[in-house]
């Protein structure tokens, strides 16, 4: 088994990973492994077919990576730092920008609106569903270019 230091990103020229706590580094390495093992094998075929890998939605939910920036959502304790959240986005983007964008919109834009603007009843109602990815809908086929 390799140490956490040996698994660090060699492309992190400014060594931002050193600013993460040990627990945050474990989350980042889990993100890196998830993207490498679950996403990377699928994306080339989906890119060629012009489809989105919908099978990844349940895998994201199972990975425990959804809802990390928000305290009280997920099995992670306190909210993740902005540095960790940004580095997770970087790791995802290194493998596939479409999947990173999906995750960012789902985990950032949608969940943040509920977390920041909703009352407690709305947070209780919607945040659990979003974290569970049970409210994620398939992209509309009407938005595809003609002939696709």
């Amino acid at each position: 088994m390799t140490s956490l230091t040996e698994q660090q990103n060699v492309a992190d020229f400014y060594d931002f990973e050193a600013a993460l706590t040990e627990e945050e580094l474990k989350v980042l390495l889990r993100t890196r492994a998830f993207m490498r093992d679950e996403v990377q094998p699928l994306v080339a075929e989906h890119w060629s077919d012009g489809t989105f890998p919908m099978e990844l939605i349940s895998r994201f939910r199972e990975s425990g990576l959804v809802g990390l920036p928000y305290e009280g959502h997920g099995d992670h304790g306190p909210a993740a730092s902005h540095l960790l959240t940004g580095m997770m986005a970087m790791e995802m983007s290194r493998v596939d920008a479409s999947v990173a964008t999906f995750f960012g919109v789902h985990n950032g834009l949608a969940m943040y609106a509920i977390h920041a603007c909703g009352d407690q009843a709305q947070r209780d109602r919607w945040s659990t569903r979003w974290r569970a990815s049970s409210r994620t809908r398939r992209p509309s086929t009407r938005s595809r270019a003609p002939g696709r």
Side-chain angles (χ1 to χ4, degrees), residues 49-96:
D49 294 344
T51 58
F52 183 82
M54 296 301 289
E55 61 270 28
L56 289 175
I57 294 172
S58 63
R59 294 181 193 168
F60 264 116
R61 179 180 55 243
E62 293 161 3
S63 74
L65 299 174
V66 179
L68 290 178
Y70 313 107
E71 196 161 337
H73 303 286
D75 303 325
H76 55 79
S81 68
H82 294 298
L83 178 60
L84 174 59
T85 303
M87 293 193 74
M88 287 173 67
M90 180 186 71
E91 286 297 328
M92 291 179 187
S93 296
R94 285 181 347 134
V95 174
D96 185 67

